[in-house]
Amino acid sequence: MVNLTIDDKQVSVAPEATIYDAAKAVGIRIPILCHDKKLHPFGGCRMCLVEVEQMKGRLIPACTTPVSEGMIVRTMTDEIVKARKLVLELLLLKHPLDCPVCDAAGDCDLQNLTFEYKVEKNHFTDEKFRWEIDYENPLIERDQNRCIHCGKCSRICDEIVSFGAYSFVNRGIEAKIGTPFDEKLDCEYCGSCISVCPVGALLARPFKFKARWWALNKVKSVCSYCGTGCQLTLGVKDDKVLTTVYDEDQGFHNGQLCNRGRFGYQFINSEKRLKTPLIRKNGSLVPASWEEALSLVTAKISEQKSVDASTVAALVTPRLTNEELLLTKKFFNGVVGTDSIDHSAGYAHAALTEGLKESFGITASPSEITDIQKTNLLLVVKSDAYETHPVIGFEINLGVKRKGVDLRIVSDKSGKLTKLPDAKKYIHKPGAELLLVNALAKTIIDAGLADTAAAGFEELKSALATVSIAQAAASTGVSAELISSLAIDYAKAEKALILLPIGLGYPGHGKDLAQALANLAILTGKIGKEGCGILVMGEKNNSQGAADLGIYPSAGGRNAGAIIDGCASGAVKLLYIVGENPVVSYPDRAKTEKALDAVPFLVVQDLFLTETAQMADVVLPAKSFAEKCGTFTSVGRNVQRIRKAIKAVGQSRSDKEIFAELIAGISGAKVVTDAAELFKEIAATTQGYAGLEFDKLTDAGCVYPVALSPRLVPVNAAVPAAEEGKFALLTGSALYHCGTLSLFGEGPMLVCPEQYLELGRSDAAKLGIKDGDTVKVKSAAGELTLAAKVTVRMPEGVVFAPYHFEAASINRVAIGAPVTYVSISK
């Protein structure tokens, strides 16, 4: 530690700290405009000037000056104040004084410092800039006239987002923050630049003129989209969520959000929200009271329970809180008596609930998100990890660019991650990842780099004996040399971590692939240590919680696929769907629609009248995450609290309130709905949660511990046979969407509003297709007309489509296989 004195206070900090860091550590505030804790020091604004006695009183920037032993620092002398006022005058020289109409007023660092330092007049005069304001970006308004050249937007886009949408251009008085070729801003629309802008040069257009910052009630919560568990602060006024508020001290991600988290909040107060229960009468859904709706549901379930409880089934979203999932399970397993309850189409959680359960004895990842920057070698399966979990993508960017993490990507296509410095990619044939991973395990064993004492070693060795690396190379499309080098590098790395994204768009990422990857970690002893193991990235905000709470059949009940089949065959008489939209998000839309149409009684509990809800006999309006409190468990086992920010929209009720009433209506038992009380039961009954207390969960949450029982599990692998003359269709996630919920968020829909088919340039040229052309996509299951998106990342013969959209939904041609072969024509 380094010892120094700041304003007569003794400080001890790490050697790499700056004066600014040291001052902040003891509560001494130094004004600054160009600094953010996530970014490299810049020293551009000169507001943080301080005096160091050993430097003969010379003023130096606190944010770029490292501490040294015995340093004596002054932060508020008359000379310093005078210098800071001068800096502010120079900044205000070109800055327009349009605070009354600037959306940043009240949240503007320049405005606040001008007030604090009493800059009442300017000793300098000059003409103001007259830069053209960029209004064309749908989410980000860019006004160069207000820019103070702090460079934070350019730096965050380069250092963390790794997109590079901004850069300094020109010199001297003509200098400005520019875009490539000085075109309009076209980027990933994550809004990171807005979050760090200290003035009003960059504004969130969806929030413009909605409210003043000081009028907002700020409520801390957790994002309800993907499973990363990003903490966010909701800006609330008049019981409406109007924006998200940036806080650099929030979460492992330091307030960093993706497009969905920053701009997708509009679904909370959407005009499309369900506000009253609906009951089908004379073929149409009509408004009803809660009493009428719940009485009908209770009567139907009681009737079916008395005949055969196994004919009742449920499909439940992992977007519910842990407390709501607890009551959901209690209701169906305990009160109704059915084990036919599942989520995420059954296959999208199998990597956790089946794969890691057998490999490690737990239904969770043994690793944490923070391991990403602590590892030496990071093996990412699927470049889509950036699209499914963008903020984890930022962590990967930081690991590679700042910590020197050796990034390896095993994928069926290129992506943003493959562009990172020194990243090595292994592009395999569609559906060949399982064979490729087995070939890596075989190589490690043959090279004598495996832990022969690992449980199940002999069985795995015997099972892999028939694997030929040469044949695997031919089948996967990855050369034997590359397979060998990757296997050896992984085995010899001091610390290595594997990332596996899962979700409804990835039917091939299930039990077998998770176990094959777990085999690599167990074989090389890379488990139970910092920066090692495997991180299975659940798709939804509480996918891990749903696995922990057992929202899947465990006593012979039907899984999601069998439930759909049971609806079609008549074996399932009553289906209760909570928050899922299987018509759009499950494979094989025609089959799903037919099944839901055939089931005698269908109940849907949701925020919106989705395509699935439109088929229901009863529709119950549920609350969003912003209207209730409880907990989510994110990727890496972090249990976090969400807090109520607004009143219920319309007559909507929380899922726990609904199930508590149903339990009381059928069994007569009174159930508590208080989140803290329900969490006590979770802590007492759920593996890993023992000792956790609801009221003691901090904003950062708590990562629950796991006890591993590692065992090698042999996995059979085969590559799907290609169909001559056809293209391999892959499905997955688009960067701007998560499931189907984001379709109701204004931000995501402004930048990615419709379905598309992505194909490579060479294939497009052969077919005579240009970007934006309409193409026909046909499989054995059906046919679609889609807009073509021509890119450079798709291998020849491979095409991609996201699974989120209702219009032209890709599940009309994709029926659940890891790869669907299709024909394409104009």
Side-chain angles (χ1 to χ4, degrees):
M1 300 293 283
V2 174
N3 302 297
L4 66 157
T5 303
I6 304 178
D7 291 346
D8 299 323
K9 286 188 177 182
Q10 298 296 314
V11 190
S12 294
V13 291
E16 62 270 17
T18 63
I19 293 175
Y20 179 85
D21 297 328
K24 188 175 181 181
V26 289
I28 296 174
R29 175 180 167 271
I30 298 176
I32 199 161
L33 290 167
C34 66
H35 181 77
D36 187 278
K37 69 187 296 183
K38 297 187 295 296
L39 304 176
H40 289 305
F42 186 61
C45 72
R46 312 316 262 189
M47 275 301 296
C48 67
L49 295 174
V50 296
E51 285 184 6
V52 175
E53 186 175 299
Q54 289 87 340
M55 296 183 181
K56 300 180 180 179
R58 183 163 56 92
L59 300 185
I60 58 172
C63 70
T64 58
T65 305
V67 296
S68 61
E69 185 67 31
M71 183 180 273
I72 300 174
V73 182
R74 297 288 178 187
T75 69
M76 280 296 283
T77 66
D78 290 343
E79 187 177 356
I80 290 171
V81 171
K82 183 179 178 181
R84 289 175 182 166
K85 291 182 73 169
L86 177 63
V87 168
L88 288 169
E89 287 185 33
L90 291 171
L91 289 173
L92 291 167
L93 182 62
K94 292 288 190 179
H95 192 88
L97 300 180
D98 59 351
C99 300
V101 294
C102 178
D103 225 45
D107 193 46
C108 174
D109 293 342
L110 180 61
Q111 182 188 54
N112 295 337
L113 288 172
T114 299
F115 178 83
E116 180 182 345
Y117 282 84
K118 302 179 178 62
V119 183
E120 299 175 289
K121 60 182 180 179
N122 202 324
H123 294 88
F124 308 96
T125 59
D126 200 353
E127 292 183 2
K128 302 294 184 182
F129 285 126
R130 292 291 183 268
W131 299 113
E132 181 183 356
I133 300 175
D134 181 1
Y135 295 111
E136 294 191 23
N137 188 292
L139 297 175
I140 303 170
E141 181 178 307
R142 191 166 63 102
D143 186 350
Q144 284 291 306
N145 302 297
R146 295 172 178 161
C147 180
I148 62 170
H149 296 182
C150 69
K152 287 162 79 173
C153 58
S154 173
R155 289 149 56 208
I156 199 167
C157 196
D158 174 54
E159 294 178 27
I160 297 178
V161 183
S162 289
F163 189 88
Y166 302 102
S167 181
F168 279 103
V169 296
N170 302 332
R171 296 176 68 85
I173 198 67
E174 295 299 320
K176 67 174 183 176
I177 297 290
T179 56
F181 307 105
D182 214 21
E183 296 288 339
K184 302 300 180 184
L185 179 63
D186 184 18
C187 58
E188 287 186 6
Y189 310 99
C190 67
S192 296
C193 54
I194 297 173
S195 68
V196 296
C197 181
V199 291
L202 295 165
L203 298 175
R205 296 193 68 187
F207 178 61
K208 191 173 182 182
F209 299 143
K210 294 289 178 65
R212 285 302 197 185
W213 286 93
W214 57 79
L216 294 175
N217 180 32
K218 301 172 181 65
V219 182
K220 292 185 177 182
S221 192
V222 179
C223 182
S224 69
Y225 279 111
C226 82
T228 303
C230 294
Q231 294 173 50
L232 49 75
T233 300
L234 300 174
V236 178
K237 185 173 184 280
D238 298 330
D239 271 320
K240 290 187 177 181
V241 175
L242 299 180
T243 188
T244 55
V245 182
Y246 174 64
D247 180 357
E248 71 170 358
D249 295 318
Q250 197 167 23
F252 75 90
H253 50 101
N254 299 127
Q256 187 85 358
L257 298 174
C258 70
N259 170 276
R260 304 185 297 243
R262 192 176 308 283
F263 294 117
Y265 56 84
Q266 296 93 343
F267 77 88
I268 297 168
N269 294 108
S270 169
E271 289 300 317
K272 297 180 180 179
R273 282 285 301 274
L274 287 167
K275 297 179 177 64
T276 182
L278 303 173
I279 290 178
R280 189 170 297 280
K281 294 180 179 179
N282 300 319
S284 300
L285 287 170
V286 297
S289 67
W290 271 104
E291 183 180 6
E292 182 182 8
L294 290 178
S295 294
L296 178 57
V297 173
T298 300
K300 290 290 186 179
I301 293 177
S302 297
E303 176 187 333
Q304 211 55 51
K305 170 182 165 64
S306 66
V307 177
D308 183 358
S310 69
T311 61
V312 178
L315 297 172
V316 182
T317 179
R319 294 199 188 280
L320 304 189
T321 66
N322 287 319
E323 296 71 26
E324 290 170 328
L325 291 173
L326 174 69
L327 285 189
T328 303
K329 187 174 176 64
K330 272 189 168 185
F331 176 66
F332 288 106
N333 288 171
V335 176
V336 178
T338 179
D339 188 50
S340 296
I341 178 173
D342 208 352
H343 72 279
S344 299
Y347 63 80
H349 61 76
L352 291 167
T353 58
E354 299 176 39
L356 297 194
K357 178 67 174 176
E358 290 186 25
S359 293
F360 294 120
I362 57 173
T363 58
S365 300
S367 305
E368 304 172 26
I369 294 175
T370 53
D371 284 317
I372 292 172
Q373 292 195 50
K374 297 174 182 177
T375 193
N376 301 125
L377 186 147
L378 182 64
L379 176 59
V380 181
V381 180
K382 209 72 131 184
S383 63
D384 295 36
Y386 188 89
E387 281 75 12
T388 59
H389 299 72
V391 175
I392 289 182
F394 297 157
E395 287 292 297
I396 297 172
N397 294 342
L398 289 169
V400 171
K401 299 173 82 170
R402 291 190 183 171
K403 302 295 179 65
V405 171
D406 183 0
L407 178 61
R408 311 296 179 95
I409 302 111
V410 170
S411 184
D412 43 30
K413 56 187 173 297
S414 296
K416 182 172 179 180
L417 294 180
T418 61
K419 300 176 184 177
L420 288 175
D422 302 318
K424 296 181 177 66
K425 60 182 179 181
Y426 306 82
I427 305 298
H428 57 76
K429 295 178 181 178
E433 50 265 76
L434 190 53
L435 177 57
L436 178 57
V437 175
N438 272 356
L440 295 175
K442 166 74 168 175
T443 302
I444 290 170
I445 292 173
D446 289 348
L449 297 173
D451 178 7
T452 58
F457 176 78
E458 291 301 329
E459 293 91 332
L460 180 65
K461 181 179 180 181
S462 175
L464 294 177
T466 57
V467 174
S468 162
I469 304 302
Q471 290 178 356
S475 298
T476 62
V478 179
S479 71
E481 292 76 14
L482 287 176
I483 292 174
S484 177
S485 65
L486 174 58
I488 300 303
D489 289 346
Y490 174 85
K492 289 186 174 181
E494 180 183 354
K495 295 186 287 187
L497 177 67
I498 300 170
L499 301 189
L500 173 66
I502 58 176
L504 288 165
Y506 305 96
H509 285 203
K511 171 186 175 182
D512 290 345
L513 183 57
Q515 289 180 328
L517 291 167
N519 287 344
L520 295 182
I522 297 169
L523 273 175
T524 56
K526 292 179 173 58
I527 52 171
K529 297 183 291 185
E530 182 181 82
C532 292
I534 177 172
L535 190 65
V536 175
M537 299 154 57
E539 180 181 26
K540 306 289 173 49
N541 55 290
N542 203 23
S543 289
Q544 184 57 60
D548 294 339
L549 272 292
I551 309 301
Y552 53 90
S554 58
R558 297 179 177 88
N559 63 18
I563 288 171
I564 296 296
D565 290 339
C567 289
S569 68
V572 172
K573 305 293 185 184
L574 189 151
L575 177 60
Y576 200 124
I577 299 178
V578 186
E580 294 271 79
N581 189 7
V583 169
V584 175
S585 60
Y586 282 26
D588 199 340
R589 179 163 180 164
K591 174 185 174 181
T592 302
E593 287 179 322
K594 184 178 179 181
L596 297 186
D597 191 50
V599 70
F601 196 77
L602 175 62
V603 182
V604 174
Q605 192 167 299
D606 211 320
L607 279 70
F608 299 96
L609 191 63
T610 63
E611 294 71 26
T612 299
Q614 291 170 28
M615 303 181 69
D617 296 288
V618 177
V619 180
L620 303 177
K623 292 180 180 179
S624 73
F625 80 105
E627 298 151 69
K628 57 193 177 186
C629 41
T631 59
F632 294 150
T633 306
S634 63
V635 168
R637 316 184 313 279
N638 191 20
V639 184
Q640 300 170 281
R641 281 186 62 176
I642 62 167
R643 294 173 174 82
K644 182 178 179 179
I646 62 173
K647 295 178 182 177
V649 172
Q651 298 179 36
S652 61
R653 296 183 180 180
S654 69
D655 298 275
K656 62 186 177 184
E657 291 172 325
I658 296 170
F659 282 117
E661 289 210 33
L662 290 174
I663 291 172
I666 294 177
S667 69
K670 187 175 181 180
V671 179
V672 297
T673 58
D674 179 70
E677 289 300 314
L678 291 171
F679 190 79
K680 284 182 183 178
E681 186 172 346
I682 292 172
T685 59
T686 306
Q687 183 181 15
Y689 288 68
L692 298 183
E693 295 182 39
F694 185 83
D695 292 331
K696 292 184 179 179
L697 289 175
T698 64
D699 291 337
C702 180
V703 176
Y704 68 76
V706 289
L708 305 180
S709 302
R711 182 174 185 83
L712 298 166
V713 180
V715 178
N716 294 321
V719 178
E723 296 183 23
E724 191 171 348
K726 293 188 176 182
F727 292 84
L729 169 65
L730 306 173
T731 61
S733 292
L735 176 62
Y736 308 106
H737 289 283
C738 179
T740 59
L741 179 63
S742 51
L743 300 183
F744 298 95
E746 178 186 348
M749 290 300 286
L750 282 171
V751 295
C752 187
E754 61 184 4
Q755 183 65 276
Y756 59 85
L757 183 77
E758 187 177 357
L759 69 165
R761 287 181 178 176
S762 60
D763 286 330
K766 290 175 186 177
L767 295 171
I769 294 172
K770 296 180 181 178
D771 193 62
D773 282 354
T774 300
V775 297
K776 290 183 179 180
V777 184
K778 186 176 182 180
S779 73
E783 182 176 321
L784 279 177
T785 300
L786 302 174
K789 181 179 180 180
V790 181
T791 67
V792 298
R793 74 176 189 134
M794 300 305 300
E796 193 169 335
V798 181
V799 296
F800 169 82
Y803 83 94
H804 318 282
F805 299 95
E806 184 281 324
S809 58
I810 200 63
N811 62 352
R812 293 190 185 277
V813 295
I815 58 174
V819 185
T820 301
Y821 283 92
V822 298
S823 57
I824 300 173
S825 61
K826 290 187 70 174

